[in-house]
Amino acid sequence: MKLIMAVVQDQDSNRLMRALVDNNFRSTKLATTGGFLKSGNTTFMIGVEDVRVNKCLQIIRDNCKSRDQLMAPISPMGGNADSYIPYPVEVSVGGATVFVLPIDQFHQF
Ligand code: 2BA
Ligand code: 2BA
């Protein structure tokens, strides 16, 4: 068994969750925050049998889009002036950042 952890954009999360349910994958959705943009994103924890990992990855790929997002200028107020960015910067976010971890044990009590 593997644990798939997928960080996706909030806009894609409902569609992805529906697709996972439709394909009989069980998951848990967490509200998370990206360290760089400091804005909300969504992390899915999906425990899957080894033989279904590729199918799950395919579903994530099909349901998560990459988007450009503007990063607001960082105010120097109260902070280090070295980190001041005076203009908005466009960054490309997602589709999905996915980790596949081995599961040592899986219990449901
Ligand atoms: P939920 O996904 O909201 O599922 C709640 C309960 O609904 C499940 O209880 C199960 O009895 C039933 N259920 C879920 N998916 C089903 C399906 N495809 N067909 C039939 N019945 C289904 P639990 O199995 O005790 O799970 C409780 C919660 O634990 C789940 O909430 C989910 O958040 C998490 N979870 C369970 N298995 C998981 C897995 N493989 N990966 C990630 N999270 C899991
Ligand atoms: P954030 O950390 O808010 O990052 C959003 C986007 O900003 C990133 O998109 C990337 O394009 C850009 N970015 C992040 N750090 C950067 C840096 N040091 N310099 C320049 N640009 C940077 P994605 O790479 O698609 O990542 C989307 C979200 O996935 C991230 O949100 C973070 O929550 C998560 N993530 C990405 N890589 C991760 C990792 N190695 N470990 C844990 N979480 C990760």
Side-chain angles (χ1 to χ4, degrees), residues 7 33-39 41 91-97 99:
V7 186
T33 304
F36 190 67
L37 292 178
K38 298 181 181 59
S39 63
N41 53 27
V91 292
S92 169
V93 185
T97 297
F99 305 87

Side-chain angles (χ1 to χ4, degrees), residues 1 3 21 24 26-28 45-48 106 108:
M1 202 168 184
L3 179 66
V21 171
N24 217 12
R26 302 199 178 190
S27 67
T28 299
M45 283 179 18
I46 314 162
V48 295
F106 172 74
Q108 288 196 294

Side-chain angles (χ1 to χ4, degrees), residues 64-100:
C64 298
K65 287 199 295 197
S66 165
R67 296 180 186 86
D68 290 335
Q69 205 163 304
L70 277 183
M71 187 184 174
I74 298 168
S75 163
M77 294 283 288
N80 183 348
D82 291 345
S83 62
Y84 178 51
I85 301 174
Y87 46 85
V89 177
E90 200 167 64
V91 292
S92 169
V93 185
T97 297
V98 182
F99 305 87
V100 181

Side-chain angles (χ1 to χ4, degrees), residues 2-74:
K2 296 282 189 289
L3 179 66
I4 296 179
M5 296 200 66
V7 186
V8 309
Q9 294 182 52
D10 290 345
Q11 296 96 308
D12 294 324
S13 66
N14 284 339
R15 192 159 43 126
L16 176 58
M17 175 151 274
R18 263 197 309 276
L20 290 170
V21 171
D22 289 349
N23 287 275
N24 217 12
F25 285 100
R26 302 199 178 190
S27 67
T28 299
K29 195 174 103 172
L30 308 169
T32 46
T33 304
F36 190 67
L37 292 178
K38 298 181 181 59
S39 63
N41 53 27
T42 302
T43 299
F44 283 84
M45 283 179 18
I46 314 162
V48 295
E49 305 81 30
D50 287 356
V51 292
R52 301 191 73 213
V53 167
N54 285 337
K55 175 70 184 169
C56 187
L57 294 176
Q58 186 65 49
I59 291 168
I60 296 169
R61 203 178 291 125
D62 290 347
N63 286 280
C64 298
K65 287 199 295 197
S66 165
R67 296 180 186 86
D68 290 335
Q69 205 163 304
L70 277 183
M71 187 184 174
I74 298 168

